[in-house]
Amino acid sequence: MNRLLQQLRRAFGKTSSAVPSTKEDAESSHPSLRGPDPVTLAALASASGHAPGSDANGTVLDDLLSDWRKQHPDEADDRHLRLFDAASLRLRGELDEAHRRCDLLMSDPDVAPAAVQLELALIALARHDLSTAMDALNVAVTLDPDLGVGWLKLGEVQIRLDQFQDAETTLQEAARCLVGEPQADAWYLLGEAHRMRRRYAEASAAYEASLAIQPTRRQALIARGHVHLMAEEEGQALACYEEALRLSPQVPPDVKLNMGSIRQNLGDFDGARAMFERLLTERPGDHAARWYLSQLDLLQGRWVAGWANYSVRFRAGAVPYRPMPYANWDGRPLANETLLVLADQGLGDEIMFASCLPDLQARAPKTIVECEPRLLALFKRSFPGLHLIATEREKSTDWLIGCPTPTWQISAGDLPRFFRQSDADFPRHEGYLKADPARVEHWRQRLRASSQGRSVIGISWRGGLVGTRTQARSISVNEWRPILSCPGLHFVNLQYGDCGAELAELQATHGITIDHHPDVIADYDETAALVCALDLVVSVCTSIIHLTGALGRPVWVLTPHSPGWRYTADRTQLPWYPSSRIFRQPRAGDWGSACHELSVELHALTRSVSPDLDKGPEVGAQS
């Protein structure tokens, strides 16, 4: 006998406080239900879905109705029980007959019409007819504004229909009408509605209200953790997840993935690895866990293990898979066959993976390389022996018409598996991308005029997008003070996107002028020329780091304590770019120390280098 049946049988025996024990209590809890025995009606409501939070079960309801009628044969056909007969039919899947019974009850003046409308809504939900259910629920709560379960069900339907703003209002009404665990349900769903609208503070407050009623409600703990994570409040998110895991080890796999990822972001690499490996032990086919572990391996410079699992990104859904009708290249030399290299991931990744193209040319000279349109001119100048094609990453092969038919294919992100197996495999290059020399000279002359002989530094302060730790990768205006106050420097904006307000704030706050050339930032070939005319680039983790390093120009990187894998866990230089230097947060969130360390080096630079008026000073990676 299941738990609900046990509880309700105790209720029928009037020994349980789980349901109202008086008519007044019953009518207060279920104002739409009236009858001769409040305890019975409350128990039947719980079994039929007319009580919030109920675990409706047709067998339970049939048993209760049967027991009542046996004990009270004179009231076997009591009209107040007919609504529950309809519910019993619904729970057994006899939806048409249940609907017919409700139609008959619509004309019965002794049965509350709001309760009938609620049952009609539950029948519609059983048919997956959300629109009809919502109509019936709107009628129910209009007829009885204190019908808490009606408001709760209406909020559920609105969430399922993505009507999140309407659901917020509805669920506030549900929370007003309900008490105890049902009210906790309302607060939880209200949190879900807020979360879907990215109203993270409101969502967190709603989950907190749910947890105040049910402190061990694992679902609300996990949801609150998700909200903290979306708001990049990683420490708070981890605390919520750990409490949910303490309550039960059977938390969803995505929660364990989040826990591992947060531990990695907070610098607890051993804890992150233990979580990912635990997941893989529990679920050997978990592609997402393998993808996360791959990135941790690469972050720590475990190149062989990291690249071995890197291709799982497609199966994990982290990168869209584009099926092409060619065999996957296995690294063999190709003398006469054509290889297709597909563009992969973001702009910075394309630039970084392009470092493997010279190695690839030696092994597969007949290679077609797909690239982002903004990189075409730069790549053509830099890799004259390759066939470059700019695309929008179409899934068809129409863009290959007129080219030699490929025999093999590989995504650019899988090239390092063949060419970057150890630290020694990363070449000490002086730049594998080549800017337009004439445009470089143009920018040198232009910057010489504006800088008045000072060293020219390009800066970028904001990295990432929503969902890619943009807060963790960005530095606030005030924290740039140690860098922007260094004497003898002239600054140029390299920040992409809509940055006008931030740029104005930087200049006003620090009393400086920052050159801004928005058209240049939008044209990557022109950006490359500008970068080559600068003495140094100072930036957070953005694609400008990859462009500058690939051009062989000095670039100083400000990274979070534990950045993305491309920036390594503890090195002072990116292995991809010998001209780079990393200034890392000593602890999560501490940009002040990183900016101060970098500013000390800038001060040393201005003291020791006198700019040449025809060409700015060369700033080495370890200056």
Side-chain angles (χ1 to χ4, degrees), residues 14 67 103 113 279 293 312 372 485 500 524:
K14 303 186 181 181
D67 285 353
D103 286 342
L279 263 173
L293 182 59
V312 82
E372 214 268 4
S485 62
Y524 235 60

Side-chain angles (χ1 to χ4, degrees), residues 272-283:
R273 183 174 296 279
M275 184 58 75
F276 299 147
E277 290 178 346
R278 172 181 172 180
L279 263 173
L280 286 169
T281 299
E282 295 170 354
R283 298 158 50 91

Side-chain angles (χ1 to χ4, degrees), residues 26 85 91 176 265 273 311 368 413 422 433 522 568 589 622:
D85 285 325
L91 292 168
R176 173 185 65 83
N265 292 341
R273 183 174 296 279
S311 62
I368 300 170
S422 69
L433 295 186
T568 74
Q622 300 297 328

Side-chain angles (χ1 to χ4, degrees), residues 43 46 162 179 181 199 363 380 462 482:
S46 294
D162 296 341
V179 296
E181 292 186 11
R199 292 160 55 90
R363 195 176 299 188
K380 278 190 171 182
R462 172 167 41 84

Side-chain angles (χ1 to χ4, degrees), residues 333-381:
L334 301 176
N336 298 309
E337 295 172 298
T338 298
L339 172 65
L340 171 64
V341 178
L342 296 169
D344 197 0
Q345 302 174 74
L347 199 65
D349 292 307
E350 280 198 55
I351 293 170
M352 182 177 69
F353 296 138
S355 71
C356 296
L357 292 180
D359 304 272
L360 180 63
Q361 278 185 282
R363 195 176 299 188
K366 295 183 178 181
T367 294
I368 300 170
V369 178
E370 178 191 32
C371 70
E372 214 268 4
R374 286 176 290 176
L375 295 174
L376 182 62
L378 186 58
F379 275 20
K380 278 190 171 182
R381 185 182 308 109

Side-chain angles (χ1 to χ4, degrees), residues 176-341:
R176 173 185 65 83
C177 297
L178 299 168
V179 296
E181 292 186 11
Q183 189 183 56
D185 294 340
W187 285 121
Y188 169 75
L189 287 175
L190 180 58
E192 293 290 275
H194 285 314
R195 180 168 68 92
M196 297 308 294
R197 294 185 64 209
R198 299 185 183 277
R199 292 160 55 90
Y200 299 137
E202 293 86 349
S204 183
Y207 294 135
E208 185 174 355
S210 180
L211 288 164
I213 300 168
Q214 286 185 294
T216 59
R217 189 185 182 104
R218 189 183 63 175
Q219 191 179 27
L221 279 167
I222 291 172
R224 194 176 181 200
H226 290 339
V227 165
H228 282 307
L229 187 58
M230 291 175 182
E232 296 193 33
E233 298 165 349
E234 293 181 315
Q236 296 94 315
L238 184 60
C240 289
Y241 293 146
E242 286 179 336
E243 176 62 13
L245 188 63
R246 186 190 66 78
L247 292 172
S248 170
Q250 303 305 317
V251 298
D254 67 299
V255 172
K256 295 178 182 177
L257 273 179
N258 287 348
M259 293 176 68
S261 179
I262 293 170
R263 288 173 179 171
Q264 178 175 321
N265 292 341
L266 295 178
D268 179 9
F269 302 137
D270 290 341
R273 183 174 296 279
M275 184 58 75
F276 299 147
E277 290 178 346
R278 172 181 172 180
L279 263 173
L280 286 169
T281 299
E282 295 170 354
R283 298 158 50 91
D286 191 327
H287 300 310
R290 199 168 300 280
W291 166 236
Y292 278 54
L293 182 59
S294 168
Q295 294 175 88
L296 177 57
D297 282 330
L298 294 174
L299 178 70
Q300 295 186 298
R302 302 183 183 190
W303 307 116
V304 174
W307 297 128
N309 285 320
Y310 196 69
S311 62
V312 82
R313 64 193 182 280
F314 298 114
R315 283 170 285 174
V319 178
Y321 177 66
R322 297 164 60 205
M324 292 286 166
Y326 314 114
N328 292 319
W329 187 51
D330 56 7
R332 71 182 67 184
L334 301 176
N336 298 309
E337 295 172 298
T338 298
L339 172 65
L340 171 64
V341 178

Side-chain angles (χ1 to χ4, degrees), residues 22-262:
T22 69
K23 178 178 172 53
E24 181 181 353
D25 290 341
E27 292 181 354
S28 175
S29 299
H30 306 287
S32 297
L33 303 176
R34 303 289 186 267
D37 186 331
V39 175
T40 298
L41 291 177
L44 291 171
S46 294
S48 67
H50 282 76
S54 63
D55 180 17
N57 182 293
T59 302
V60 172
L61 185 55
D62 281 343
D63 286 347
L64 294 176
L65 286 167
S66 177
D67 285 353
W68 173 259
R69 284 171 167 141
K70 288 177 181 177
Q71 295 170 22
H72 305 83
D74 293 341
E75 301 181 42
D77 195 34
D78 189 291
R79 66 187 63 189
H80 297 96
L81 300 183
R82 293 175 188 172
L83 183 65
F84 301 118
D85 285 325
S88 179
L89 289 164
R90 166 175 54 83
L91 292 168
R92 293 201 304 268
E94 299 178 39
L95 303 182
D96 290 340
E97 180 59 20
H99 198 289
R100 190 186 71 81
R101 298 285 184 95
C102 286
D103 286 342
L104 293 174
L105 290 172
M106 292 292 289
S107 59
D108 191 329
D110 290 331
V111 178
V116 178
Q117 290 294 332
L118 175 57
E119 181 57 38
L120 286 170
L122 295 173
I123 292 169
L125 288 174
R127 289 178 166 142
H128 307 290
D129 184 352
L130 299 183
S131 178
T132 299
M134 186 161 65
D135 289 343
L137 289 165
N138 275 312
V139 172
V141 297
T142 299
L143 292 169
D144 184 354
D146 293 323
L147 184 61
V149 66
W151 289 113
L152 186 65
K153 292 292 183 183
L154 180 57
E156 290 178 6
V157 171
Q158 288 169 332
I159 287 176
R160 291 173 66 181
L161 291 173
D162 296 341
Q163 298 176 4
F164 304 118
Q165 188 169 357
D166 290 340
E168 289 174 351
T169 302
T170 297
L171 291 163
Q172 286 168 355
E173 287 296 308
R176 173 185 65 83
C177 297
L178 299 168
V179 296
E181 292 186 11
Q183 189 183 56
D185 294 340
W187 285 121
Y188 169 75
L189 287 175
L190 180 58
E192 293 290 275
H194 285 314
R195 180 168 68 92
M196 297 308 294
R197 294 185 64 209
R198 299 185 183 277
R199 292 160 55 90
Y200 299 137
E202 293 86 349
S204 183
Y207 294 135
E208 185 174 355
S210 180
L211 288 164
I213 300 168
Q214 286 185 294
T216 59
R217 189 185 182 104
R218 189 183 63 175
Q219 191 179 27
L221 279 167
I222 291 172
R224 194 176 181 200
H226 290 339
V227 165
H228 282 307
L229 187 58
M230 291 175 182
E232 296 193 33
E233 298 165 349
E234 293 181 315
Q236 296 94 315
L238 184 60
C240 289
Y241 293 146
E242 286 179 336
E243 176 62 13
L245 188 63
R246 186 190 66 78
L247 292 172
S248 170
Q250 303 305 317
V251 298
D254 67 299
V255 172
K256 295 178 182 177
L257 273 179
N258 287 348
M259 293 176 68
S261 179
I262 293 170

Side-chain angles (χ1 to χ4, degrees), residues 447-465:
L447 292 174
R448 187 180 79 163
S450 63
S451 66
Q452 300 179 338
R454 291 171 292 173
S455 296
V456 185
I457 313 296
I459 62 170
S460 178
W461 57 88
R462 172 167 41 84
L465 302 169

